[in-house]
Amino acid sequence: MMWLRVAACVLVSAVLPAWVSAQTSPIEWRPLYEPGCGGAITGVAVSPHDPEHMITLGDMLGVAASFDGGDSWKPTFGFISYEFPRGITFHPTEHDTLWIGSATGPYKSTDRGVHWQSKRAGMPELSDGRYTAMVETVLIDPADHDRLLAFGGTSRDWNQSDTFGAVWESADAGESWTRLGTITDDRGFVAEHVKGANIHQVQYQPGSSTRLHLRTGSGLWFISDDGGRSWARHEPKGLAGGLSW
């Protein structure tokens, strides 16, 4: 398969916001140019421990790291494929550790995002020509940092993986995984290992270590009140045309 590298750029504002003064010139932007992750930039995140530390993800050609607030970018190493959705998770207390999801499962870095290791023990084996464990994001339990959750899907809306909707749990900081079940659009959360809903986004409710919110690609909303071990579909009131967040 031949890949075509498409240039991407990050833009930063060169002036103060227009609302600061009626005399202020219109907002202008200047490019920081290709950060080194190719194609569309699917995710950008700033470390909660260091505002100069940034990570960007590309949908075709990898991950780039910056340690000067985005003025320059460094290449990264260790990936077996280079397609990434948008999930970037910084460890809450280990400042050098972070996680990302990818088309070939979760990856962990312990040097601030320069070198990465595949961490998919317990997930389906790798297969030539097919994504067997596509992961949108990895979350760390706020109350137990050795407990992680990984979610099957991709906000890039590829359709090559049978693990869409999968919810995996790790009790050993990501060294091994156990599948808890599957989020489906039509049957809710089921125990079967079937192809389910494309999970686009998941997050812990702020201030809670047990309640999580999840959105599928079709706009359905699910809530877990037991740390991700079970899920129920939530029907929001007053929202027409589905849910997008």
Side-chain angles (χ1 to χ4, degrees), residues 86 136 153-157 198-202 215-217:
R86 62 185 172 195
E136 168 67 20
T154 173
S155 51
R156 300 301 298 155
D157 283 324
N198 183 6
I199 297 174
H200 270 204
Q201 192 170 1
V202 194
R215 179 176 64 87
T216 70

Side-chain angles (χ1 to χ4, degrees), residues 42 85-88 134-139 151-159 164-166 183 185 196-203 213-222 243-245:
T42 57
R86 62 185 172 195
I88 305 168
M134 193 176 286
V135 170
E136 168 67 20
T137 193
V138 176
L139 297 182
F151 299 87
T154 173
S155 51
R156 300 301 298 155
D157 283 324
W158 296 310
N159 198 38
F164 279 0
I183 299 281
D185 281 337
N198 183 6
I199 297 174
H200 270 204
Q201 192 170 1
V202 194
Q203 63 189 51
H213 298 263
L214 178 152
R215 179 176 64 87
T216 70
S218 60
L220 298 184
W221 185 357
F222 290 81
L243 180 70
S244 179
W245 45 279

